[in-house]
């Protein structure tokens, strides 16, 4: 094709891709005819130069063409990987020597200078042009290497991986084409500046554009509900700013007696004009991710969310409809929702669309809602006179605080909806016993007041009232709950399974539901999307992925099957013994289930089966426990276990090294007390089992239990084959793997601390870990105590190996994309400082692992998925949908069980160890197989998973007898009270027992 063909392709792409730029139809037709011989057309799609072309061909401006074929072969130097093998099934096979990434042609001389190398492609003879990618058709991997001058937050993308078996997958991304017009950004200030709910802000800005200044906003702008307004045209402000008066509310009327509307002053100030060319350069890897790019992406997100936010209940990125709902009791009804986010990808913008779930308050009479929350039917249970416990009143108050209610009895006009008002709290007394002072100085009860207003007595005068934010007291029976109110608090634990049942969908069902969401979103009909010139595809992208090989796992050489290669992310313990089995010198069983349900015969059988299970996998254990004892869960658990340990010592001559505890269903409080005793107070290994699970359990159940027992006692279950983790097993360069996480208090809990954890490997195979935990300021994501925590685990590493590591692999969980730079600026120096104070300077690779995203991958057909219908374990995507500049990739490392699997998102922020792309992906995948509690690969590397578990066990470090509650609480009224409450938790936190610190007690 030569350089002229290349420039012809560029010209064709510009003209066909942007027909509204003034090019004549004749010119476009001429270029189309000239270029027609070089265009590959799928058999079912006749080529056309009409606007339909844009629906199928997705080529961003100035992008080099790409091929649809499989993995690329090696391209010329400076040109990256070429097109590689042709598959012979669609169009002509692509030639070698493409631009950075797979497929396509290089510019003349290659993007870095010098002619591309390489002979004819292995898939066939050289061809004139690589085929254009088809949205929804044959997938062509989009890949590039960012330009040398481009700055990145973390590591700049070094290239793309090649290892593994190539497959094609669908993803819940939809291609978005953008207009080349300028976007104008305005700062919004609504006066008075008292913060208003986002919904109220939307009402004010909507009134401004549709009522107050309709002639100015001929094409309405889009608003984010807070501070940002974007328009597709410049507003004619002489000084760059203008203030408007917006009346909102009921209009005054002498006849109706309504209050006059409240007036708000809205000040709009021009902040910036956004040139979309900057965004296009970023998508091509020629522009750094600066504030201009960030603002442009923010503007596009506001564009697509504006319409749904005006019509439906919404949170930050999702909106919810009542087209699909499910009442789950407890005053909760679930609504199906849709998540949407405009994201930059290689060469183009994409919309990530997913289904989501919203928990709403059950609409209808407030009295019914209150009874449903308490699980009662008689309204009199809400009467303090009839024994309403204050504990239950507070539980109800925590659930309903902030809910909006209407009072239909106060509605003056049946044609207008009553104004919702916010509930602040519940009264302590019933309406008959609550008194207040009238305007004339007389005192009356709430019940008597409403007798006057309603001309009838209350039906339930003894029932408590709601207190509104205005201070008004309204009987529950007169309150109504409007539909569509999102519950912004933690869902009760007993409702979690119901939420999961509603939210979980198999891959094919989920993808179909996502596509159905397009009819709800109606991008094509949205006036906001249209006026900003966005065109969004109606089919999900079909992209290239790879399935990389799992590591071989080694068990004890005496096993009948000493090695195993996982299949679909799973294996089993049949014919295998622990790599390093532990020894149980003495053990006892404490049973908290009623003896009538779990009698002596059942207990003996359970103990025998557990001992047999241990022996099968190589754990040395006495065939019978020294003590079996029943205890009451209502007593002091710690004292009971300590007394039982003394009794065991008297019977056997030694204290138990393992305490097996049988729990009843719903024994969460007992479990917490047992773990506090074992991990913190006494320093003894405890293993809890539910009575319903271990009653006549099969050998597979006990095989799973032995996985936990073995590592808790210092054993090793399995190790990866050294050649599969050669980076870790290099004796000349000892390597430590760390994982860090932060856990925050539940929504609605104020004054509760956050907890941070750090785990670190202490062996050459990264299968044994130690951990440490700290308390820190509530809802702070960055880890303050990183230096001291690193010092501790590094000291443990030296104690176990005799030396400090030369290399550190650090996996960080729970950090949002906006905080990457803060991790590098705040946490990384603390890690380096810890090493420097210990006298060594290792090379560090720092990776953020994320699971809080909505990216999903779907196999092309059932034959290419696993038994659950998900993509196979080991599916990796590092092109098409990844960042144009930063080094990131998606790895679905686990086999599916229920619903649609979520891949982990890896962002490489620092890499002083100079990994190859394939090497880093392979090591991360291998670390997903060393999670000791299961014979399955897990969704994130084991050290990160362990750090998450350590954080979740924070409540075990508090004495159950102290009564400090970590989940829900009354709302703190001021910052001083919050600070004092936080200090109480700091002081009450008890560290792990010295004997447990070197063990994986958290498994």
């Amino acid at each position: 094709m030569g350089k002229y063909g290349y420039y012809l392709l560029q010209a064709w792409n510009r003209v066909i891709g942007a027909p509204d730029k003034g090019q004549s139809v004749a010119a476009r037709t001429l270029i189309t005819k000239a270029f027609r011989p070089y265009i590959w057309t799928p058999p079912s799609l006749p080529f056309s130069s009409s606007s339909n072309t844009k629906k199928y061909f997705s080529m961003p401006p100035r992008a080099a063409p790409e091929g649809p074929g499989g993995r690329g072969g090696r391209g010329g130097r400076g040109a990256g990987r070429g097109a590689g093998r042709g598959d012979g099934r669609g169009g002509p096979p692509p030639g070698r020597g493409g631009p950075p990434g797979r497929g396509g042609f290089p510019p003349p001389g290659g993007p870095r200078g010098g002619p591309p190398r390489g002979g004819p492609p292995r898939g066939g003879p050289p061809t004139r042009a690589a085929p254009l990618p088809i949205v929804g058709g044959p997938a062509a991997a989009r890949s590039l290497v960012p330009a040398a001058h481009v700055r990145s937050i973390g590591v700049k993308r070094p290239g793309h991986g090649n290892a593994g078996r190539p497959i094609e997958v669908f993803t819940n991304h939809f291609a978005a084409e953008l207009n080349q017009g300028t976007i104008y950004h305005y700062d919004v200030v609504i006066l008075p500046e008292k913060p208003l709910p986002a919904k109220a802000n939307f009402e004010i800005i909507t009134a401004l554009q549709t009522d107050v200044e309709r002639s100015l906003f001929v094409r309405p702008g889009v608003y984010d509900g807070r501070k940002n307004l974007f328009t597709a045209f410049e507003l004619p402000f002489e000084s760059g700013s203008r203030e408007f008066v917006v009346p909102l509310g009921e209009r005054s009327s002498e006849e109706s007696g309504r209050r006059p509307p409240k007036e708000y002053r809205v000040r709009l100030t021009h902040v910036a004009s956004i040139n979309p060319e900057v965004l296009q350069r970023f998508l091509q890897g020629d522009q750094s991710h600066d504030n201009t790019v960030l603002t442009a992406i923010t503007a596009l997100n506001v564009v697509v969310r504006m319409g749904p936010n005006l019509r439906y209940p919404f949170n930050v990125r999702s909106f919810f409809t009542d087209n699909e709902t499910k009442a789950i009791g407890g005053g909760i009804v679930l609504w199906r929702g849709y998540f949407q986010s405009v994201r930059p990808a290689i060469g183009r913008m994409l919309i990530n669309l997913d289904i989501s779930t919203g928990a709403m308050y059950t609409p209808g009479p407030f009295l019914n809602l209150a009874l449903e929350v308490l699980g009662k039917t008689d309204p009199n249970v809400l009467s303090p006179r009839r024994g309403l416990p204050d504990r239950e009143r507070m539980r109800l108050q925590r659930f309903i605080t902030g809910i909006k209610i209407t009072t239909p009895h106060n509605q003056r006009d049946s044609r207008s909806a009553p104004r919702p008002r916010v509930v602040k709290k519940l009264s302590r007394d019933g309406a008959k016993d609550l008194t207040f002072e009238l305007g004339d100085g007389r005192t009356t009860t709430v019940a008597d007041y409403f007798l006057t207003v309603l001309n009838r007595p209350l039906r339930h005068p003894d029932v408590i009232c709601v207190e509104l934010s205005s201070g008004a007291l309204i009987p529950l029976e007169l309150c109504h709950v409007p539909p569509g109110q999102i519950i912004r608090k933690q869902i009760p634990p007993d409702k979690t399974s119901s939420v999961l049942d509603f939210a979980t969908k198999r891959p094919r069902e989920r993808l179909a539901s996502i596509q159905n969401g397009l009819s709800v979103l109606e991008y094509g009909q949205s006036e906001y999307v249209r006026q900003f010139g966005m065109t969004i595809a109606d089919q999900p992208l079909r992209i290239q992925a790879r399935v990389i090989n799992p590591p071989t796992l080694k068990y004890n050489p005496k096993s009948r099957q000493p090695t195993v290669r996982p299949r679909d992310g799973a294996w089993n313990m049949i014919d295998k013994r622990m790599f390093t089995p532990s020894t149980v010198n003495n053990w006892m069983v404490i049973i908290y289930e009623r003896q009538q349900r779990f009698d002596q015969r059942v207990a003996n059988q359970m103990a025998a089966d557990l001992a047999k299970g241990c022996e099968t996998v190589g754990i040395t254990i006495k065939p019978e426990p020294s003590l079996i004892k029943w205890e009451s869960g209502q007593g002091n658990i710690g004292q009971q276990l300590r007394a039982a340990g003394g009794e065991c010592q008297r019977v056997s001559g030694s204290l138990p090294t393992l305490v097996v505890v049988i729990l009843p269903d719903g024994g969460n409080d007992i479990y917490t007390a047992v773990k506090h005793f074992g991990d913190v107070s006494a320093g003894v290994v405890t293993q809890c089992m539910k009575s319903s699970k271990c009653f006549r359990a099969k050998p597979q159940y006990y095989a799973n239990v032995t996985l936990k027992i073995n590592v808790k006692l210092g054993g090793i279950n399995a190790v990866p084959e050294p050649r599969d983790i050669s980076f870790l097993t290099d004796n000349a360069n000892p390597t430590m793997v760390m994982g860090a996480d932060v856990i925050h208090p539940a929504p609605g809990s104020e004054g509760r601390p956050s907890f941070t954890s750090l785990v670190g490997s202490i062996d050459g195979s990264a299968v044994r870990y130690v951990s440490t935990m700290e308390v820190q300021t509530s809802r702070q994501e960055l880890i303050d105590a990183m230096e001291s925590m690193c010092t501790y685990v590094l000291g443990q590493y030296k104690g176990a190996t005799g030396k400090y590591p030369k290399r550190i692999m650090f996996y960080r969980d729970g950090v949002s994309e906006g905080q990457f730079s803060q991790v590098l600026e705040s946490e990384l120096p603390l890690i380096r400082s810890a090493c420097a104070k210990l006298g060594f300077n290792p090379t560090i690779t720092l990776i953020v692992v994320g699971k809080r995203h909505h990216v999903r991958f779907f196999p092309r057909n059932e034959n290419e998925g696993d038994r659950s219908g998900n993509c196979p374990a080991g599916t990796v995507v590092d092109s098409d949908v990844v960042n144009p500049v930063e080094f990131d990739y998606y790895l679905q490392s686990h086999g599916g069980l229920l619903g649609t699997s979520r891949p982990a998102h890896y962002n490489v922020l620092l890499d002083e160890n100079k990994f190859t792309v394939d090497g880093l992906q392979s090591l991360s995948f291998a670390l997903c197989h060393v999670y000791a509690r299961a014979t399955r690969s897990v969704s994130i590397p084991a050290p990160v998973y362990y750090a998450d578990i350590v954080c979740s066990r924070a409540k075990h470090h508090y004495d159950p007898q102290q009564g400090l509650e970590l989940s829900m609480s009354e709302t703190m009224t001021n910052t001083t009270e919050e600070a004092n409450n936080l200090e109480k938790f700091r002081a009450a936190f008890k560290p792990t027992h010295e004997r447990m610190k070197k063990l994986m007690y958290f498994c």
Side-chain angles (χ1 to χ4, degrees):
M1 180 173 171
K3 65 179 182 179
Y4 298 106
Y6 171 77
Y7 289 128
L8 184 59
L9 172 60
Q10 294 264 12
W12 183 89
N13 183 48
R14 280 179 171 272
V15 173
I16 297 301
D20 56 348
K21 292 294 182 180
Q23 294 91 344
S24 68
V25 174
R28 292 177 61 224
T29 304
L30 179 62
I31 295 177
T32 299
K33 287 181 178 179
F35 193 70
R36 187 188 299 272
Y38 302 101
I39 301 299
W40 171 75
T41 308
S44 59
L45 177 64
F47 179 78
S48 170
S49 61
S50 70
S51 60
N52 289 333
T53 307
K54 298 181 71 174
K55 180 178 179 181
Y56 297 97
F57 292 91
S58 179
M59 289 290 290
R62 299 175 60 184
E66 300 171 356
R71 282 208 342 256
R74 296 182 62 84
R77 252 179 220 173
R81 282 176 289 278
R85 303 181 186 93
D87 59 13
R89 287 173 293 180
R96 287 192 176 190
R102 302 185 183 93
F105 282 94
R112 297 289 184 271
R117 291 182 176 182
R122 281 171 280 179
T127 57
R128 292 184 174 182
L132 295 171
I134 307 298
V135 177
R142 284 174 175 255
S143 55
L144 58 80
V145 175
H149 69 274
V150 173
R151 298 187 307 274
S152 60
I153 297 172
V155 176
K156 196 184 302 183
R157 183 174 301 285
H160 303 267
N162 290 305
R165 170 173 58 90
I167 62 170
E168 289 184 352
V169 297
F170 288 105
T171 178
N172 58 336
H173 289 81
F174 297 79
E177 293 186 11
L178 309 180
N179 187 11
Q180 299 297 306
T182 301
I183 298 175
Y184 299 91
H185 179 201
Y186 296 87
D187 176 68
V188 179
V189 176
I190 298 177
L191 302 171
E193 290 195 61
K194 179 182 178 181
L196 295 171
K199 186 175 181 181
N201 288 338
F202 272 112
E203 291 177 0
I204 294 169
I205 297 301
T206 300
L208 168 65
Q209 296 192 99
T210 58
D211 298 333
V212 178
E213 291 288 343
R214 190 167 187 174
S215 59
L216 179 64
F217 293 94
V218 178
R219 291 181 290 165
V222 295
Y223 177 54
D224 69 350
R226 295 298 176 196
K227 292 283 291 178
N228 299 290
L229 178 79
F230 300 95
T231 64
F233 61 96
E234 187 172 9
L235 297 175
F237 297 163
E238 292 183 1
S239 60
S241 181
R242 183 173 168 184
E243 193 168 290
F244 306 87
V245 176
V246 181
L248 193 68
E250 298 176 333
R251 298 184 179 277
S252 62
S253 168
E254 295 181 2
E255 298 174 356
S256 64
R258 297 178 187 171
R259 292 181 297 177
K262 184 173 183 178
E263 290 187 344
Y264 295 91
R265 286 182 295 131
V266 178
R267 185 189 307 132
L268 301 183
T269 304
H270 181 251
V271 177
S273 300
I274 305 166
N275 184 352
E277 180 64 23
V278 175
L279 181 57
Q280 291 293 346
R281 288 200 301 269
F282 173 70
L283 299 178
Q284 300 301 330
D286 293 326
Q287 167 77 34
S288 301
H289 191 287
D290 56 17
N291 282 335
T292 304
V293 172
L294 180 62
T295 305
I297 296 171
T298 300
L300 297 177
N301 273 296
V302 176
V303 169
V304 299
R305 293 172 189 159
M306 183 69 178
N309 285 352
L310 294 178
R311 297 196 303 270
Y312 305 106
F314 64 91
N315 58 22
V316 180
R317 295 184 178 179
S318 295
F319 66 92
F320 307 94
T321 78
D322 58 0
N323 294 341
E324 184 181 352
T325 64
K326 179 183 179 182
I328 61 173
I332 302 171
V333 58
L334 303 178
W335 285 26
R336 177 71 67 219
Y338 297 94
F339 167 93
Q340 52 178 346
S341 176
V342 180
R343 296 185 60 82
I346 293 177
R348 58 186 167 188
M349 295 298 294
L350 302 175
I351 290 190
N352 178 208
L353 181 60
D354 194 20
I355 58 173
S356 58
T357 299
M360 309 287 178
Y361 290 105
T362 301
F366 190 97
L367 186 61
N368 294 352
L369 170 66
L371 291 172
E372 192 175 322
V373 172
L374 300 181
K376 306 294 183 182
T377 56
D378 182 5
N380 290 320
V381 301
L382 292 166
S383 166
R385 283 192 174 194
R386 305 197 185 190
L388 173 65
D390 197 57
R391 182 185 69 257
E392 289 291 89
R393 183 186 67 84
M394 289 304 302
R395 180 165 75 91
L396 177 60
Q397 177 172 294
R398 285 194 294 266
F399 182 75
I400 58 89
T401 298
I403 193 174
K404 292 182 179 179
I405 56 106
T406 58
T407 51
H409 74 277
N410 204 30
Q411 186 175 352
R412 297 184 179 92
D413 187 348
S414 60
R415 293 173 296 177
S416 62
R419 181 170 57 91
R421 295 189 281 181
V422 177
V423 172
K424 181 180 179 182
K425 61 181 181 180
L426 297 174
S427 66
R428 291 183 177 273
D429 299 312
K432 186 187 291 185
D433 300 313
L434 279 172
T435 60
F436 66 98
E437 193 173 291
L438 296 171
D440 57 7
R442 290 182 297 115
T443 299
T444 185
T445 67
V446 172
D448 289 341
Y449 172 80
F450 280 98
L451 172 63
T452 304
V453 171
L454 302 174
N455 291 321
R456 65 168 178 82
L458 295 174
R459 295 186 180 87
H460 308 288
D462 293 333
V463 169
I464 57 176
C465 301
V466 298
E467 182 178 330
L468 304 180
S469 53
S470 63
L473 294 164
I474 311 292
L476 298 193
E477 65 184 78
L478 301 180
C479 301
H480 188 274
V481 180
Q485 294 191 64
I486 301 174
I487 300 174
R488 304 185 190 275
K489 300 178 178 66
Q490 186 180 29
I491 300 299
D494 61 315
K495 299 299 179 186
T496 302
S497 60
S498 299
V499 175
L500 290 176
D501 288 342
F502 181 78
T504 300
K505 283 183 178 289
R506 289 177 61 85
R508 283 185 173 274
E509 296 172 356
R510 190 183 194 96
L511 186 57
S513 186
I514 290 169
Q515 290 182 272
N516 291 339
L518 291 173
S519 62
V520 178
L521 288 158
E522 295 181 325
Y523 289 127
Q525 286 71 48
S526 168
E527 62 175 323
Y528 305 104
V529 172
R530 287 203 311 270
Q531 71 169 325
F532 279 84
M534 293 182 67
T535 304
I536 298 166
D538 57 2
Q539 294 296 318
L541 288 182
R542 186 165 149 186
I543 64 172
Q544 288 285 340
R546 293 174 288 114
V547 181
I548 57 179
N549 293 326
T552 297
L553 301 177
K554 293 174 60 178
Y555 283 86
N556 195 293
K558 297 179 181 179
S559 305
R560 292 181 62 185
Q561 186 184 359
T563 62
V564 63
R565 176 63 68 95
R567 183 177 180 182
D568 288 336
W571 63 101
N572 58 52
M573 289 296 296
I574 297 174
D575 295 334
K576 301 175 190 68
R577 297 166 67 88
M578 301 297 187
F579 184 82
T580 304
S582 57
T583 298
V584 181
N585 295 318
N586 194 11
W587 62 301
M588 69 178 185
V589 178
I590 307 299
I591 304 171
Y592 284 98
E593 181 60 273
R594 289 185 295 114
Q595 195 163 358
Q596 294 89 334
R597 299 185 62 180
F598 206 90
D599 58 25
Q600 188 71 50
R601 180 182 58 82
V602 174
N604 291 338
Q605 185 63 53
M606 179 277 302
D609 291 343
L610 178 59
K612 183 179 179 181
C614 288
E615 292 172 358
T616 301
V617 297
I619 298 174
T620 303
I621 187 172
K622 290 171 55 178
E624 295 180 358
S626 298
L627 177 70
I628 297 179
K629 188 175 183 181
W630 280 259
E631 290 287 1
S632 168
Q634 303 302 315
N636 186 312
I637 306 298
Q639 290 181 2
Q640 293 170 352
L641 294 175
R642 195 172 295 277
E647 186 176 344
C648 179
Q649 185 178 28
R650 289 192 296 273
V651 171
S652 62
S654 64
L655 289 170
T657 55
L658 172 65
V659 179
V660 176
V661 179
I662 307 302
L663 301 174
D665 289 336
N668 294 337
D669 292 340
I670 302 174
Y671 175 82
T672 299
V674 168
K675 291 303 175 182
H676 178 79
F677 171 80
D679 300 345
V680 177
S681 299
V684 61
V685 172
T686 57
Q687 180 58 56
C688 296
M689 295 186 287
K690 279 190 175 183
S691 60
S692 57
K693 297 288 186 181
C694 64
F695 181 77
R696 296 176 182 172
K698 295 181 179 180
Q700 179 61 45
Y701 173 80
Y702 290 107
N704 291 334
V705 173
T706 61
L707 296 174
K708 301 180 181 182
I709 291 175
N710 191 55
V711 292
K712 288 179 183 178
L713 291 167
I716 297 174
N717 294 350
V719 298
E721 185 73 44
R723 66 173 180 270
D724 292 330
I725 52 169
S726 57
F727 178 83
L728 302 179
T729 55
D730 181 2
N731 293 327
N733 295 286
T735 303
M736 184 179 193
V737 183
M738 295 183 181
D741 194 15
V742 181
I743 191 171
H744 302 296
S749 296
E750 301 298 335
R752 279 12 186 183
S754 292
F755 295 92
T756 64
S757 68
L758 179 69
V759 303
S761 63
I762 54 172
D763 68 335
S765 299
V767 295
R768 293 182 59 215
Y769 291 84
V770 293
S771 69
T772 182
M773 179 191 293
E774 295 288 345
V775 186
Q776 81 171 23
T777 305
S778 181
R779 294 187 171 86
Q780 176 182 309
E781 186 55 53
L782 297 178
I783 300 176
D784 284 337
M786 181 66 81
E787 183 176 341
S788 61
M789 296 168 77
C790 283
T791 301
Y792 171 78
V793 296
L794 288 167
Q796 293 292 318
Y797 181 92
K798 185 177 183 182
T801 65
K803 52 193 172 185
Y804 288 118
K806 291 186 178 180
R807 303 186 294 202
I808 291 177
M809 286 286 298
F810 196 103
Y811 289 93
R812 178 70 160 89
D813 190 16
V815 180
S816 65
E817 293 178 358
Q819 295 173 313
F820 288 172
S821 59
Q822 297 176 44
V823 171
L824 292 172
E825 294 164 3
S826 300
E827 293 186 353
L828 179 61
L830 296 178
I831 300 171
R832 293 195 190 280
S833 177
C835 298
K837 288 180 179 179
L838 294 173
F840 72 106
N841 182 29
T843 53
I844 299 172
T845 296
L846 174 57
I847 304 171
V848 171
V849 186
K851 290 280 287 182
R852 298 187 188 99
H853 61 79
H854 286 263
V855 174
R856 300 291 186 275
F857 301 120
F858 307 88
R860 186 176 58 175
N861 55 60
E862 293 183 355
N863 296 332
E864 294 184 355
D866 60 16
R867 286 180 295 181
S868 69
N870 282 285
C871 292
T875 299
V876 63
V877 173
D878 60 3
S879 61
D880 294 288
V881 297
V882 294
N883 191 282
V885 172
E886 307 288 338
F887 182 13
D888 70 326
Y889 59 90
Y890 293 92
L891 172 60
Q892 191 164 304
S893 55
H894 58 299
L897 288 174
L898 296 173
T900 305
S901 298
R902 188 201 319 249
H905 188 200
Y906 294 75
N907 289 270
V908 186
L909 301 190
L910 178 71
D911 184 22
E912 296 175 342
N913 291 303
K914 308 300 181 185
F915 275 97
T916 65
V917 176
D918 288 326
L920 188 56
Q921 293 170 354
S922 177
L923 178 58
S924 297
F925 188 37
L927 289 171
C928 295
H929 290 77
V930 300
Y931 181 66
R933 292 168 56 162
T935 54
R936 299 184 66 89
S937 58
V938 290
S939 59
I940 53 180
V944 187
Y945 211 130
Y946 289 146
D948 179 74
I949 293 173
V950 172
C951 276
S952 68
R953 295 167 68 96
K955 59 185 175 182
H956 301 165
H957 291 260
Y958 292 92
D959 188 345
Q961 302 304 312
Q962 265 186 304
L964 281 175
E965 177 59 53
L966 277 174
S967 56
M968 294 294 288
S969 68
E970 288 199 66
T971 302
M972 300 291 106
T973 56
N974 56 63
T975 54
T976 302
E977 188 177 351
E978 288 182 12
N980 293 338
N981 207 43
L982 180 59
E983 286 307 311
K984 291 180 183 177
F985 281 95
R986 288 186 188 274
F989 183 85
K990 299 183 183 302
T992 306
H993 194 280
E994 200 64 33
R995 280 198 296 266
M996 307 301 289
K997 286 184 176 180
K998 296 183 180 180
L999 299 174
M1000 295 174 64
Y1001 67 92
F1002 45 81
C1003 281

